Amino acid sequence: MTVAEALAGPGTKVQIAGKELRNDGRALLIYSVGSDGARQLAHTRLPEAAHQAMVADLTARGLRVAQTDFKSGVIWVSDAQGVEVHDGSRRWFAATGDRATLADGRVVARSDLARVFAYAEGYADRGVKGTLTSGDEVDLAYEYSISAAEDPTYNRNLLLSDTTWCAAVGIAIAHWAGVRFENRI
Protein backbone atom coordinates (compact mmCIF):
# COMPACT_ATOMS: atom_id res chain seq x y z
CA MET A 1 0.00 0.00 0.00
CA THR A 2 1.30 3.47 -0.80
CA VAL A 3 1.49 6.28 1.77
CA ALA A 4 -1.34 8.09 -0.02
CA GLU A 5 -3.53 4.96 0.07
CA ALA A 6 -2.75 4.43 3.76
CA LEU A 7 -3.70 8.00 4.59
CA ALA A 8 -6.96 7.76 2.63
CA GLY A 9 -8.18 4.77 4.64
CA PRO A 10 -10.28 4.97 7.80
CA GLY A 11 -8.95 5.10 11.35
CA THR A 12 -6.23 6.80 13.32
CA LYS A 13 -2.77 6.80 11.77
CA VAL A 14 0.71 7.54 13.10
CA GLN A 15 4.06 7.94 11.39
CA ILE A 16 7.38 6.39 12.29
CA ALA A 17 10.54 7.89 10.86
CA GLY A 18 13.44 5.53 10.40
CA LYS A 19 16.64 6.39 12.24
CA GLU A 20 19.08 4.92 9.72
CA LEU A 21 19.94 6.82 6.55
CA ARG A 22 20.98 4.37 3.83
CA ASN A 23 21.96 4.90 0.20
CA ASP A 24 18.33 4.37 -0.80
CA GLY A 25 17.07 6.90 1.77
CA ARG A 26 15.46 6.97 5.19
CA ALA A 27 12.42 4.83 5.99
CA LEU A 28 9.01 6.31 6.70
CA LEU A 29 6.25 4.01 7.93
CA ILE A 30 2.54 4.63 8.39
CA TYR A 31 0.67 2.60 11.01
CA SER A 32 -2.98 2.47 11.98
CA VAL A 33 -3.50 2.40 15.74
CA GLY A 34 -6.59 1.61 17.78
CA SER A 35 -7.99 -0.62 20.46
CA ASP A 36 -7.11 -3.63 18.30
CA GLY A 37 -3.42 -2.70 18.22
CA ALA A 38 -1.03 -1.28 15.65
CA ARG A 39 -0.79 -2.39 12.03
CA GLN A 40 1.75 -1.28 9.46
CA LEU A 41 -0.04 0.11 6.42
CA ALA A 42 2.73 1.61 4.29
CA HIS A 43 6.51 1.77 4.08
CA THR A 44 8.65 3.94 1.85
CA ARG A 45 12.22 5.17 1.66
CA LEU A 46 12.96 8.75 0.75
CA PRO A 47 16.09 10.86 0.28
CA GLU A 48 16.81 12.87 3.43
CA ALA A 49 15.36 16.21 2.24
CA ALA A 50 12.19 14.55 0.91
CA HIS A 51 11.90 12.52 4.13
CA GLN A 52 12.07 15.63 6.31
CA ALA A 53 9.51 17.37 4.10
CA MET A 54 7.12 14.39 4.24
CA VAL A 55 7.41 14.10 8.04
CA ALA A 56 6.69 17.84 8.37
CA ASP A 57 3.70 17.58 5.99
CA LEU A 58 2.25 14.54 7.78
CA THR A 59 2.73 16.23 11.16
CA ALA A 60 0.96 19.34 9.88
CA ARG A 61 -1.88 17.07 8.71
CA GLY A 62 -2.27 15.71 12.23
CA LEU A 63 -0.30 12.44 12.10
CA ARG A 64 1.41 11.98 15.44
CA VAL A 65 5.02 10.80 15.44
CA ALA A 66 5.38 7.34 16.98
CA GLN A 67 8.37 5.29 18.03
CA THR A 68 8.93 1.57 17.92
CA ASP A 69 11.21 -1.20 18.98
CA PHE A 70 10.92 -3.34 15.86
CA LYS A 71 12.12 -6.49 17.67
CA SER A 72 9.21 -6.43 20.10
CA GLY A 73 6.58 -4.90 17.82
CA VAL A 74 5.70 -2.35 20.52
CA ILE A 75 4.70 1.08 19.22
CA TRP A 76 4.27 4.14 21.40
CA VAL A 77 3.37 7.77 20.93
CA SER A 78 4.35 10.34 23.52
CA ASP A 79 3.59 13.99 22.87
CA ALA A 80 1.57 16.94 24.17
CA GLN A 81 -1.65 15.01 23.48
CA GLY A 82 -0.67 12.16 25.80
CA VAL A 83 0.83 8.68 25.66
CA GLU A 84 -0.39 5.58 23.81
CA VAL A 85 1.24 2.15 23.76
CA HIS A 86 0.26 -0.64 21.34
CA ASP A 87 1.40 -4.00 20.13
CA GLY A 88 0.05 -5.85 17.12
CA SER A 89 -3.15 -6.99 18.80
CA ARG A 90 -4.22 -4.42 21.40
CA ARG A 91 -3.76 -1.01 22.95
CA TRP A 92 -1.94 -1.47 26.24
CA PHE A 93 -2.14 2.07 27.56
CA ALA A 94 -3.79 5.34 26.49
CA ALA A 95 -3.37 8.54 28.50
CA THR A 96 -4.92 11.87 27.65
CA GLY A 97 -5.53 14.75 29.99
CA ASP A 98 -5.57 13.54 33.58
CA ARG A 99 -6.62 9.92 32.97
CA ALA A 100 -5.15 6.75 31.52
CA THR A 101 -7.03 3.72 30.27
CA LEU A 102 -5.29 0.38 30.76
CA ALA A 103 -5.52 -2.68 28.50
CA ASP A 104 -8.20 -4.23 30.72
CA GLY A 105 -10.36 -1.09 30.55
CA ARG A 106 -9.57 0.21 34.02
CA VAL A 107 -9.10 3.96 34.27
CA VAL A 108 -6.31 5.40 36.42
CA ALA A 109 -6.10 9.07 37.31
CA ARG A 110 -2.73 10.72 36.76
CA SER A 111 -2.80 11.83 40.40
CA ASP A 112 -3.13 8.18 41.50
CA LEU A 113 0.27 7.22 40.05
CA ALA A 114 3.11 7.55 42.55
CA ARG A 115 5.90 5.85 40.53
CA VAL A 116 6.49 4.09 37.22
CA PHE A 117 9.02 1.31 36.72
CA ALA A 118 10.22 -1.09 34.05
CA TYR A 119 10.55 -4.69 35.22
CA ALA A 120 11.35 -8.22 34.18
CA GLU A 121 10.38 -11.24 36.24
CA GLY A 122 12.44 -14.09 34.90
CA TYR A 123 13.14 -13.76 31.20
CA ALA A 124 9.63 -13.95 29.77
CA ASP A 125 7.48 -11.63 31.91
CA ARG A 126 8.38 -8.00 31.27
CA GLY A 127 6.89 -4.56 30.93
CA VAL A 128 6.03 -1.36 32.75
CA LYS A 129 4.13 -1.09 36.02
CA GLY A 130 2.86 1.79 38.05
CA THR A 131 2.73 2.05 41.81
CA LEU A 132 -0.45 3.78 42.88
CA THR A 133 -0.70 6.16 45.82
CA SER A 134 -2.61 3.34 47.57
CA GLY A 135 0.52 1.15 47.29
CA ASP A 136 -1.06 -1.22 44.74
CA GLU A 137 0.81 -1.99 41.53
CA VAL A 138 -0.85 -2.06 38.11
CA ASP A 139 0.40 -3.24 34.72
CA LEU A 140 0.70 -0.28 32.36
CA ALA A 141 2.32 -2.16 29.46
CA TYR A 142 2.93 -5.89 29.63
CA GLU A 143 4.45 -8.60 27.46
CA TYR A 144 4.97 -12.29 28.00
CA SER A 145 7.62 -13.59 25.59
CA ILE A 146 6.96 -17.19 24.68
CA SER A 147 10.24 -17.36 22.76
CA ALA A 148 12.17 -16.26 25.86
CA ALA A 149 10.27 -18.76 28.00
CA GLU A 150 10.92 -21.68 25.66
CA ASP A 151 14.50 -20.93 24.57
CA PRO A 152 16.99 -22.69 26.88
CA THR A 153 19.79 -20.44 25.54
CA TYR A 154 17.96 -17.19 26.33
CA ASN A 155 20.09 -15.11 28.69
CA ARG A 156 20.37 -11.76 30.46
CA ASN A 157 22.02 -10.06 27.48
CA LEU A 158 19.11 -11.04 25.25
CA LEU A 159 16.68 -9.84 27.89
CA LEU A 160 18.37 -6.44 28.03
CA SER A 161 18.27 -6.18 24.24
CA ASP A 162 14.62 -7.27 24.02
CA THR A 163 13.36 -4.92 26.72
CA THR A 164 14.71 -1.56 25.60
CA TRP A 165 11.11 -0.59 24.86
CA CYS A 166 10.24 -1.01 28.56
CA ALA A 167 12.50 1.84 29.64
CA ALA A 168 11.43 4.11 26.76
CA VAL A 169 7.74 3.51 27.42
CA GLY A 170 8.21 3.78 31.18
CA ILE A 171 9.98 7.12 30.84
CA ALA A 172 7.21 8.44 28.57
CA ILE A 173 4.47 7.38 31.01
CA ALA A 174 6.38 8.75 34.02
CA HIS A 175 6.84 12.05 32.21
CA TRP A 176 3.10 12.23 31.48
CA ALA A 177 2.29 11.42 35.11
CA GLY A 178 4.95 13.74 36.53
CA VAL A 179 6.43 10.98 38.67
CA ARG A 180 9.76 9.25 39.10
CA PHE A 181 10.81 6.42 36.76
CA GLU A 182 12.94 3.48 37.83
CA ASN A 183 14.43 0.83 35.55
CA ARG A 184 14.41 -2.45 37.50
CA ILE A 185 15.48 -4.67 34.61
Side-chain angles (χ1 to χ4, degrees):
M1 179 181 296
T2 68
V3 170
E5 291 169 335
L7 297 175
T12 303
K13 318 280 186 331
V14 297
Q15 60 178 310
I16 298 175
K19 292 181 172 76
E20 178 187 16
L21 178 60
R22 300 188 330 198
N23 289 339
D24 59 345
R26 187 179 306 274
L28 181 64
L29 300 96
I30 306 297
Y31 276 76
S32 70
V33 292
S35 60
D36 60 345
R39 303 263 187 285
Q40 183 180 322
L41 301 176
H43 174 272
T44 190
R45 285 197 169 273
L46 301 164
E48 185 62 17
H51 183 275
Q52 290 177 6
M54 173 84 68
V55 168
D57 176 60
L58 293 174
T59 301
R61 292 166 64 179
L63 261 74
R64 296 168 74 188
V65 176
Q67 298 179 56
T68 188
D69 172 8
F70 287 106
K71 291 179 291 184
S72 68
V74 177
I75 294 184
W76 63 96
V77 181
S78 176
D79 58 21
Q81 295 179 41
V83 179
E84 287 186 35
V85 184
H86 303 263
D87 71 0
S89 61
R90 65 189 167 130
R91 179 179 0 205
W92 287 346
F93 182 87
T96 56
D98 290 333
R99 300 201 176 285
T101 303
L102 308 182
D104 63 6
R106 285 183 293 164
V107 175
V108 175
R110 180 190 332 223
S111 61
D112 286 341
L113 277 172
R115 178 177 307 131
V116 173
F117 60 93
Y119 74 94
E121 294 174 6
Y123 290 141
D125 181 12
R126 72 273 300 258
V128 179
K129 289 188 181 192
T131 303
L132 303 177
T133 55
S134 67
D136 292 338
E137 291 181 354
V138 294
D139 283 312
L140 304 176
Y142 169 80
E143 173 187 57
Y144 184 83
S145 172
I146 293 173
S147 61
E150 294 182 358
D151 182 353
T153 65
Y154 198 87
N155 60 35
R156 176 103 174 121
N157 288 339
L158 291 170
L159 175 69
L160 292 173
S161 174
D162 291 347
T163 58
T164 57
W165 69 268
C166 297
V169 166
I171 290 167
I173 294 172
H175 179 74
W176 166 78
V179 299
R180 191 174 66 123
F181 169 76
E182 182 181 347
N183 191 348
R184 297 182 183 175
I185 297 177

